[in-house]
Amino acid sequence: MASNLRSNQFCLRPPEKAVRWEVLYGLQQRDARGGALEPAATRLLVSKLGGIPSLLTVEPEDFAASMLRGNNIVAQFREVARSIRLASLSFRGMSPTDADLWDLPSLGLKSAGLGGRRQRHGRVDASAIRQPWLREVLKTWAETVSMKNDKFKRTFNACVVASDALHTRPGGGQDVTRLRFADVQAVFSAMSCIRRSDNGELASRKWRMDSFSVFLDLIDFGRKTDMLDGLPGSFNRDKTLVLPHEETIEDAAGKAVPEPVIDQMDAHLHLMGAGFPYGEMERADIELMLQTAYLVLRDTGRRPIEVASLRLKCLETRKGENTLIWDNVKKRRYGRKLPITRETADVIRTWQGRRRQIEVPSRSRKYLFPSITDRSGFAHMEASSLVNSMREWVTAIPVLLSDELDEHGGRMPFDRTLIFPYAFRHAYAQRHADAGIPVDVLKELMDHRSIVTTTYYQVSLKRKREAITTMRRHTLDRSGRPAPFTSTTDYEAQSVAVPFGNCREPSNVKAGGKACAIRFQCAGCGFYRPDPSYMPAIEQHVNDLRADLETAKAMDADDFVVRNLTDQITAFTNVAGTMRDRLSSLPEAEREEIEEASAVLRKVRATRDHTLLPLTVIRKGTPDAG
């Protein structure tokens, strides 16, 4: 029969009887709205519908995906299926929004494109909005207000975020009459943390503020239509609910992945990429590629898109020092250089070797991490691939524990939603800040133009005083004998931070640590008061003194020069050794308290003086500075 049809004809005989009527009805609806009827696409569509009892029995998107044919046949099938669903709802006395899944074209949304019609199909799941009153307001708004598709999607997504925030509040936000300003604040806090779905980065300030605004616009609509009768006036806009303009929000937002959690993830690195599809690439290559991308994220603190877009020739080695060459995509600063450890460089080299042996899309040849196909949106790996593969990996790890304890003293599970690629940028910065790296050095490592942007050194006055309260009990004198300060005030007011400890010499204290009479030979001074927070600086100074001693011997320096350096090395080594011995004898809980206080005080000092501490090794087991 089909062979006898002309180009402008089609036959509905092959499908089941009910499907014939459904297709005919769908075509009538298409014709009624002025849509073009394409016989060729209809013939192809009909040929795919054999054996189906009714279009209502299939999931439209799954069936459309199985066709694997041109856009015309798929678009025609979607429209026919949509017409049948709407007719079925109408026959039962229901509207398109009475079900949980809302068909967007049926809402009459306009497209920003030419002609004003929706250019894409789609549905949203209204059950994601947990509060019935909010769902009803959104439903009425969508059915009565003429709007464009993008505005509806923005409002719907904002409602989902608000719904989740209200769900965590007392009562779950179910009773509209019990909502208060604190509930608006909870919604605002949730909106301020909205992240992009493609790469996990924090959304722009404008996007987050607009999301909060459209949600409140919907609340205003509910008030005007008397749908929110009884909603207190305090559940409303407030001038205090505004995000700051600083760029700092991006890099400071979200808690860094704690180092103990990173260690647990590293122990299950072999699961990274297992089962994750990536074009035609072999399974072993996919796993190695994604594991390499994660390790680069972890060790360099670059943004996900900056790791995904690394060039194949991204390593530079001179005199044994390794440098990563990368592009600051966000700020359009290209060819940036970052010192990295030998361990990280070796990871990259291993993948480079494998990468050069495999076939990749032609336009990906100059990138370290290739795209899936030549038809991908990027010539390199998309940041969303990092986001999705990491999500699957984190889900597959059997156990991830936090440092928080439950009521029985056991470690509580770590919230896995806090692990995403961008969080490792913050972890990298926090790792260096906790080690006391000077803020101007960290600014360069993060490629910030201003120290104001580098927010990892912000320590509250409360945390600072708590740290001093802990640390003042563990100060020593130059001989290693306990010399505790009497109070936090005594620690701050009667001492000054010098490179390798505190100093109590009155004239030096008055001069802010810049009037040492013996040129900072602290280990020989009776006013020297070191504490555990200075351990990294003392150990680094001992290494520097040893290097100076070797240089002095090679120069055949006078005995008093050699003797002075030797005595300083001995004195500082004794101080450091005494502190280590004292710490090792303390209970584990007290040691952890001292370590935390030390990190806080190093941050404070690094903010106050940008030149005191050297760039030190942070990751355990890495021999080079990074």
Side-chain angles (χ1 to χ4, degrees):
M1 177 68 70
S3 61
N4 298 326
L5 295 176
R6 298 179 179 178
S7 61
N8 63 341
Q9 295 178 324
F10 57 85
C11 177
L12 296 178
R13 178 171 295 179
E16 298 290 333
K17 182 177 181 180
V19 176
R20 293 181 213 158
W21 287 108
E22 289 171 343
V23 172
L24 184 60
Y25 176 78
L27 295 176
Q28 289 175 338
Q29 295 303 303
R30 181 180 177 89
D31 183 60
R33 74 161 180 81
L37 299 180
E38 303 180 32
T42 304
R43 284 198 298 272
L44 289 172
L45 172 61
V46 170
S47 68
K48 297 293 182 180
L49 298 179
I52 298 176
S54 169
L55 295 183
L56 295 174
T57 64
V58 299
E59 172 55 42
E61 293 312 311
D62 292 344
F63 191 76
S66 70
M67 289 184 178
L68 298 176
R69 299 301 293 265
N71 291 337
N72 288 344
I73 178 177
V74 172
Q76 189 153 311
F77 167 74
R78 286 187 176 122
E79 184 164 355
V80 169
R82 181 167 60 251
S83 298
I84 298 303
R85 289 198 305 274
L86 292 176
S88 176
L89 289 172
S90 178
F91 180 78
R92 289 178 286 164
M94 300 171 64
S95 73
T97 54
D98 285 337
D100 284 340
L101 292 177
W102 295 359
D103 190 86
L104 299 186
S106 67
L107 296 178
L109 303 178
K110 296 180 180 180
S111 170
L114 184 65
R117 295 191 301 273
R118 277 185 51 81
Q119 295 174 324
R120 296 183 180 181
H121 64 282
R123 288 187 290 174
V124 296
D125 187 357
S127 65
I129 301 175
R130 308 166 188 255
Q131 296 76 20
W133 62 266
L134 181 56
R135 193 161 53 244
E136 286 301 312
V137 172
L138 180 63
K139 169 185 172 181
T140 303
W141 176 72
E143 292 176 335
T144 58
V145 176
S146 177
M147 75 191 81
K148 293 182 178 179
N149 171 53
D150 56 349
K151 182 176 181 180
F152 173 81
K153 291 296 292 290
R154 172 72 65 86
T155 305
F156 179 85
N157 291 335
C159 286
V160 172
V161 174
S163 176
D164 290 342
L166 293 174
H167 185 67
T168 64
R169 300 284 300 158
Q174 297 294 321
D175 186 353
V176 71
T177 65
R178 299 182 62 184
L179 296 177
R180 297 293 185 268
F181 181 63
D183 299 296
V184 178
Q185 289 177 308
V187 172
F188 174 76
S189 296
M191 297 286 185
S192 67
C193 297
I194 293 176
R195 292 186 174 273
R196 295 174 53 175
S197 60
D198 58 346
N199 59 17
E201 293 186 14
L202 197 67
S204 69
R205 177 185 182 276
K206 184 178 185 302
W207 181 275
R208 288 173 285 145
M209 285 304 302
D210 285 351
S211 297
F212 186 54
S213 179
V214 297
F215 169 73
L216 293 177
D217 288 345
L218 184 68
I219 296 301
D220 290 342
F221 172 84
R223 282 194 168 101
K224 292 176 182 177
T225 55
D226 297 326
M227 295 187 67
L228 296 180
D229 187 32
L231 177 65
S234 59
F235 191 85
N236 211 334
R237 291 173 171 81
D238 189 273
K239 62 182 181 181
T240 63
L241 301 179
V242 178
L243 289 173
H245 285 275
E246 291 85 352
E247 181 186 336
T248 59
I249 290 298
E250 179 206 273
D251 282 333
K255 188 177 181 180
V257 182
E259 292 301 313
V261 174
I262 293 178
D263 290 341
Q264 295 174 66
M265 294 174 63
D266 291 350
H268 294 86
L269 183 61
H270 63 282
L271 298 177
M272 177 67 162
F276 190 80
Y278 203 84
E280 301 299 322
M281 192 177 290
E282 295 291 334
R283 172 59 41 207
D285 295 332
I286 296 174
E287 293 176 3
L288 181 59
M289 179 180 69
L290 293 175
Q291 290 168 16
T292 301
Y294 158 71
L295 292 172
V296 175
L297 273 174
R298 183 199 69 184
D299 292 348
T300 69
R302 301 310 90 184
R303 298 179 180 92
I305 188 61
E306 293 162 355
V307 171
S309 62
L310 285 172
R311 305 283 174 155
L312 182 58
K313 298 179 180 179
C314 62
L315 278 183
E316 181 180 275
T317 303
R318 291 183 180 178
K319 297 180 180 180
E321 298 296 327
N322 297 292
T323 302
L324 181 74
I325 303 173
W326 61 285
D327 294 332
N328 186 334
V329 178
K330 179 180 178 181
K331 294 301 178 181
R332 297 183 177 88
R333 299 196 288 268
Y334 304 105
R336 314 302 286 174
K337 294 187 177 182
L338 177 76
I340 60 175
T341 66
R342 185 187 304 118
E343 180 186 50
T344 306
D346 288 345
V347 167
I348 295 175
R349 289 192 185 97
T350 299
W351 167 244
Q352 283 176 328
R354 180 79 68 87
R355 160 70 180 74
R356 290 187 173 96
Q357 297 174 6
I358 63 177
E359 288 292 328
V360 299
S362 58
R363 60 181 185 150
S364 294
R365 288 170 185 162
K366 63 181 179 180
Y367 291 101
L368 184 64
F369 303 115
S371 62
I372 296 179
T373 68
D374 267 323
R375 299 184 300 278
S376 299
F378 293 87
H380 50 74
M381 175 193 287
E382 296 188 35
S384 58
S385 295
L386 282 178
V387 174
N388 296 331
S389 61
M390 184 168 291
R391 183 183 299 118
E392 289 190 11
W393 174 38
V394 170
T395 301
I397 296 176
V399 179
L400 279 177
L401 300 176
S402 70
D403 288 335
E404 298 180 10
L405 303 180
D406 58 23
E407 57 184 0
H408 303 296
R411 292 173 64 185
M412 297 179 64
F414 185 75
D415 183 358
R416 302 185 188 215
T417 63
L418 299 177
I419 303 174
F420 46 87
Y422 200 90
F424 289 91
R425 176 171 173 81
H426 192 62
Y428 171 87
Q430 197 65 57
R431 189 183 306 143
H432 285 75
D434 288 345
I437 299 304
V439 66
D440 57 340
V441 175
L442 182 55
K443 175 183 78 72
E444 296 299 324
L445 291 175
M446 301 304 291
D447 200 36
H448 290 157
R449 287 204 181 277
S450 171
I451 287 178
V452 174
T453 310
T454 309
T455 61
Y456 308 97
Y457 287 89
Q458 295 179 353
V459 178
S460 68
L461 179 61
K462 179 182 178 182
R463 287 185 65 201
K464 177 183 174 183
R465 294 189 67 84
E466 288 176 348
I468 292 175
T469 298
T470 298
M471 200 57 62
R472 69 176 179 81
R473 301 192 299 267
H474 299 280
T475 56
L476 307 176
D477 62 15
R478 67 184 177 89
S479 301
R481 294 187 295 266
F485 286 85
T486 58
S487 65
T488 56
T489 303
D490 188 31
Y491 187 100
E492 292 188 275
Q494 299 188 43
S495 67
V496 65
V498 291
F500 320 115
N502 282 310
C503 176
R504 302 198 66 169
E505 200 282 314
S507 60
N508 196 31
V509 171
K510 185 176 180 180
K514 302 183 185 300
C516 177
I518 59 173
R519 298 180 181 273
F520 299 105
Q521 297 183 89
C522 301
C525 179
F527 293 100
Y528 180 45
R529 295 292 184 273
D531 62 53
S533 67
Y534 288 94
M535 284 289 288
I538 294 173
E539 291 171 346
Q540 181 65 47
H541 186 53
V542 169
N543 291 335
D544 293 341
L545 288 172
R546 286 175 175 153
D548 291 344
L549 177 60
E550 293 303 315
T551 301
K553 290 178 179 179
M555 295 172 61
D556 194 24
D558 200 297
D559 289 343
F560 79 88
V561 176
V562 174
R563 186 170 59 253
N564 177 271
L565 291 171
T566 302
D567 290 346
Q568 286 194 68
I569 292 172
T570 301
F572 279 115
T573 301
N574 288 340
V575 167
T578 301
M579 278 195 285
R580 278 194 293 268
D581 292 341
R582 287 173 58 85
L583 289 174
S584 64
S585 66
L586 296 175
E588 182 178 358
E590 190 170 353
R591 285 201 306 274
E592 291 178 354
E593 182 183 9
I594 292 173
E595 289 172 1
E596 182 176 349
S598 297
V600 170
L601 292 179
R602 284 197 291 267
K603 284 188 197 179
V604 173
R605 290 195 292 269
T607 305
R608 185 172 60 204
D609 187 330
H610 302 163
T611 61
L612 293 184
L613 300 180
L615 181 63
T616 55
V617 178
I618 305 303
R619 293 291 305 173
K620 295 178 180 178
T622 56
D624 302 319

